[in-house]
Amino acid sequence: MKRSPLAALAATAAALLVLVFGMAAPALAHDALKSSSPAKDAEVKSLDEVRLEFTAGVRLPFVIVRGPGGVELQSGKPQVDGKVVTQAVKEPVPDGKYTIAYRVVSSDGHPIEGEIPFKVKGAQPPSPSPSAASPSDSAGAAPASSAPAATQAAQPAQTSPATDPATDPATDQASAAQPVSFPVWLVIVIGALVGIGIGFLLSARKKKP
């Protein structure tokens, strides 16, 4: 069966069109998310950052890590390194369902956005702070610390000897230093007796031959 020249030309043209558009289709495709950590619907035990990798370099990243009750756990701004975007997360991250919401601008200016759900299960609970002591512990420790102080304060009062005024050296010295005083009438009587004695002596000498 012979084919007409027109049919052969049409078939050739169609083949060329398919080849041209088939090669141009990848060039016209926009950039997209290649992988993520955590991955979609993944289950992890801990989380310190979110990592997003795209098929080409991106810019102007915006990342939110949303937890139970709508709490946002992202810390600081996302960092871009070519095709990779990393976002730090506030720790600790408790068990629950989380969602990564992202938006970037691709290399051709086309915006890329989406959400990645994942779960945290088996996370270690945060350890209590040593400074956060309960009031009952503080109240129970207070009498134990004050008891030795009260005992020490009572010991000097029990062991210190009482000072006896009769045997105190300072009292003896003070009493020895005080001058001895005589009554005035005794001085007058002694003076009178001395004067009478002197008078008798003088009169006895005059009577001698």
Side-chain angles (χ1 to χ4, degrees):
M1 181 178 178
K2 295 183 179 179
R3 303 176 70 180
S4 64
L6 184 59
L9 182 61
T12 304
L16 291 175
L17 289 175
V18 170
L19 180 62
V20 170
F21 283 103
M23 295 179 61
L28 295 176
H30 295 294
D31 300 333
L33 179 67
K34 183 178 179 181
S35 63
S36 66
S37 177
K40 184 178 180 180
D41 297 327
E43 186 175 292
V44 297
K45 292 184 178 180
S46 62
L47 184 69
D48 56 358
E49 71 173 11
V50 169
R51 185 176 183 272
L52 305 174
E53 183 177 358
F54 297 87
T55 56
V58 295
R59 55 192 177 90
L60 302 178
F62 180 75
V63 181
I64 294 177
V65 182
R66 189 179 298 109
V71 179
E72 297 182 0
L73 301 178
Q74 68 274 7
S75 177
K77 297 181 179 180
Q79 304 296 322
V80 181
D81 185 8
K83 301 178 182 180
V84 179
V85 176
T86 56
Q87 172 65 64
V89 177
K90 300 175 183 177
E91 295 184 285
V93 180
D95 293 352
K97 295 181 180 180
Y98 296 84
T99 302
I100 303 170
Y102 65 90
R103 179 183 175 88
V104 297
V105 178
S106 64
S107 57
D108 59 359
H110 181 75
I112 305 173
E113 61 183 5
E115 292 186 351
I116 304 172
F118 68 97
K119 295 180 181 179
V120 175
K121 187 175 182 180
Q124 295 182 355
S127 58
S129 176
S131 60
S134 61
S136 59
D137 296 340
S138 301
S145 60
S146 60
T151 304
Q152 294 177 1
Q155 286 178 356
Q158 295 175 1
T159 57
S160 60
T163 304
D164 189 2
T167 59
D168 190 6
T171 306
D172 295 339
Q173 293 178 1
S175 60
Q178 292 179 356
V180 180
S181 59
F182 296 94
V184 178
W185 63 269
L186 183 60
V187 175
I188 295 173
V189 171
I190 294 174
L193 293 175
V194 172
I196 293 171
I198 293 174
F200 278 113
L201 289 175
L202 292 178
S203 60
R205 285 185 181 182
K206 290 181 179 180
K207 291 177 179 181
K208 284 183 179 181

